[in-house]
Amino acid sequence: MLKEKAKAITEKALEAIQQASDSKSLYEVKVNFLGKQGEFSKLMKETGKLPKEDRPAFGKEVNLLKKNIEEAYLAKELDLANVELALRLKTEKIDLTLPGVYRAVGRQHPLTLVIREIVDILSHIGFSVRTGPMIEEDWYNFEALNIPKDHPARDMQDTFYMDDTHVLRTHTSPIQIHTMENEKPPLRVLAPGSVFRCDSDVTHSPNFYQIEGLCVDKKVSMADLKGTISYFVNAFFGQDLKTRFRPSFFPFTEPSAEVDCSCPICKGKGCRVCSNTGWVEIGGCGLVNPKVLVHAKINAAERSDDDYQGYAFGFGIERMAMIKYGIDDIRRFNENDMRFLAQFKR
Ligand code: PHE
């Protein structure tokens, strides 16, 4: 009786295996027949009905049947896997002409590029970089640079005051004083950095960049300053440009000059960038005022033949970038528009 039942179950199982149309339903068949709650487990619970001496033979028989089912199952499983693979290969085509996953590559901001290029060029003639704080004491931003309180030059630089004695630095010149306080001449330093003035339009931003140059040594003259700036302008803008020095005034230099170079866009013929003058202004410069050298304790208050001299210059980074690349609005630098920023590389 039980033997027949076992055979019937086996036939049903083999049939179900053949019928299974995918690996999921095939697995269900296995669970239903060979699983813990499956048909065979139920059948085995009935073995008590058999006479004791028949039980081992029945057990053997059942194991054999189960093995047949197992084999059929494995064969079918392989079949189905092949069928399913063939189907996937047919339906899931990879289009190799589709664009790949795009990852934007970062690059340096045009202002960073300009700063690094200036530092590169001037490092060849002995200049190295110094930095200073953006919040300055009145002494470093003004007083030590020979800009006393109530001096009209303070109004020239629309200052952001933090409190009575601290300002957001209006220029990089205070780094001249820090450097001279901390190091002994001969000095050749460059100080790039962020500066702040209460001023805003297409060519002025309340926060912009400058780069300061300072040389302190014995027998430094205006000729050294002009030579250095001409070398720099030719390296930065191009060999064929001229530099021009116009007399000017800064409290911390004497004599002082404004530096122009012939317009790199039109090569001096006159265009929109240079307002048809053929010249563009890039910054201020001059010989370091002897009073500044005394304030910074480079020279003693009493003059002597052994005194140091120096020259200094300060260029506007945005201005240089605008001139070099023909950019007409200073606000472009802070808009973070990738279409603009992605155009610049060295
Ligand atoms: N600090 C001046 C400015 O911001 C520029 C300058 C620097 C002039 C060094 C002379 C020497 O306008």
Side-chain angles (χ1 to χ4, degrees):
M1 243 331 247
L2 279 187
K3 239 180 169 177
E4 265 74 68
K5 227 174 161 179
K7 284 212 172 106
I9 293 172
T10 305
E11 239 136 72
K12 253 171 69 190
L14 292 173
E15 169 91 13
I17 284 170
Q18 281 324 307
Q19 274 338 216
S21 57
D22 54 52
S23 40
K24 205 178 146 221
S25 53
L26 179 67
Y27 184 71
E28 269 162 31
V29 174
K30 183 174 168 166
V31 172
N32 288 342
F33 288 92
L34 303 177
K36 263 195 191 133
Q37 322 279 348
E39 299 287 329
F40 277 100
S41 298
K42 283 185 211 154
L43 184 72
M44 292 314 280
K45 284 184 190 131
E46 294 179 47
T47 44
K49 290 179 189 165
L50 287 174
K52 236 187 182 156
E53 61 275 18
D54 290 348
R55 286 180 204 166
F58 178 69
K60 249 189 191 165
E61 176 82 17
V62 167
N63 281 342
L64 217 73
L65 292 173
K66 280 167 86 175
K67 214 177 140 209
N68 287 345
I69 296 173
E70 194 78 47
E71 273 163 14
Y73 172 83
L74 288 174
K76 182 73 177 182
E77 191 181 42
L78 196 69
D79 268 5
L80 285 179
N82 282 333
V83 169
E84 279 162 22
L85 179 65
L87 188 74
R88 281 183 59 195
L89 285 172
K90 223 167 114 183
T91 53
E92 296 177 13
K93 278 191 192 127
I94 297 173
D95 184 352
L96 295 173
T97 65
L98 279 175
V101 180
Y102 174 72
R103 232 182 264 186
V105 179
R107 62 175 73 212
Q108 288 173 342
H109 192 278
L111 296 180
T112 306
L113 288 177
V114 167
I115 291 173
R116 299 216 170 154
E117 189 175 350
I118 297 172
V119 170
D120 246 27
I121 291 169
L122 287 166
S123 70
H124 291 303
I125 54 169
F127 284 81
S128 57
V129 170
R130 301 293 184 279
T131 55
M134 291 184 205
I135 297 175
E136 275 292 5
E137 284 169 35
D138 189 277
W139 167 259
Y140 291 99
N141 197 81
F142 293 125
E143 206 78 31
L145 289 163
N146 194 34
I147 314 175
K149 292 209 171 53
D150 307 319
H151 191 284
R154 287 209 184 191
D155 300 334
M156 261 162 61
Q157 309 192 343
D158 314 87
T159 310
F160 287 113
Y161 279 87
M162 304 294 290
D163 59 34
D164 283 350
T165 51
H166 294 87
V167 300
L168 291 183
R169 69 180 175 202
T170 58
H171 49 179
T172 42
S173 301
I175 303 170
Q176 290 187 30
I177 309 298
H178 289 295
T179 307
M180 289 189 277
E181 274 183 0
N182 295 326
E183 299 175 49
K184 297 236 167 313
L187 295 170
R188 270 174 188 75
V189 299
L190 280 176
S194 217
V195 301
F196 306 84
R197 288 183 201 179
C198 194
D199 198 358
S200 182
D201 61 40
V202 274
T203 51
H204 295 88
S205 158
N207 175 206
F208 59 104
Y209 286 83
Q210 286 188 333
I211 189 159
E212 192 83 7
L214 172 69
C215 163
V216 179
D217 207 338
K218 296 274 166 74
K219 298 197 171 73
V220 171
S221 74
M222 202 67 190
D224 299 306
L225 171 62
K226 290 179 83 170
T228 302
I229 289 182
S230 301
Y231 155 74
F232 165 74
V233 165
N234 286 341
F236 185 78
F237 288 115
Q239 278 304 321
D240 42 355
L241 295 189
K242 290 196 193 98
T243 38
R244 172 171 93 170
F245 295 78
R246 270 181 299 117
S248 184
F249 173 79
F250 299 102
F252 36 92
T253 47
E254 182 59 37
S256 303
E258 222 111 20
V259 185
D260 297 341
C261 74
S262 48
C263 176
I265 304 295
C266 63
K267 309 276 183 245
K269 285 194 210 75
C271 69
R272 215 161 54 97
V273 172
C274 59
S275 320
N276 281 313
T277 61
W279 295 93
V280 287
E281 185 187 321
I282 59 173
C285 67
L287 292 188
V288 179
N289 190 313
K291 284 185 193 161
V292 174
L293 294 172
V294 173
H295 287 156
K297 303 200 167 62
I298 293 290
N299 292 335
E302 193 93 356
R303 289 234 176 163
S304 109
D305 287 347
D306 222 25
D307 276 351
Y308 284 98
Q309 297 86 39
Y311 65 75
F313 54 87
F315 298 149
I317 301 293
E318 280 83 352
R319 245 201 106 63
M320 309 249 288
M322 289 169 85
I323 294 166
K324 182 160 174 150
Y325 299 117
I327 298 162
D328 58 2
D329 188 341
I330 198 169
R331 290 170 294 201
R332 297 272 173 270
F333 294 116
N334 295 315
E335 285 169 346
N336 289 337
D337 183 342
M338 283 304 292
R339 292 168 305 176
F340 170 72
L341 296 173
Q343 299 176 61
F344 305 97
K345 57 174 171 236
R346 264 174 94 177

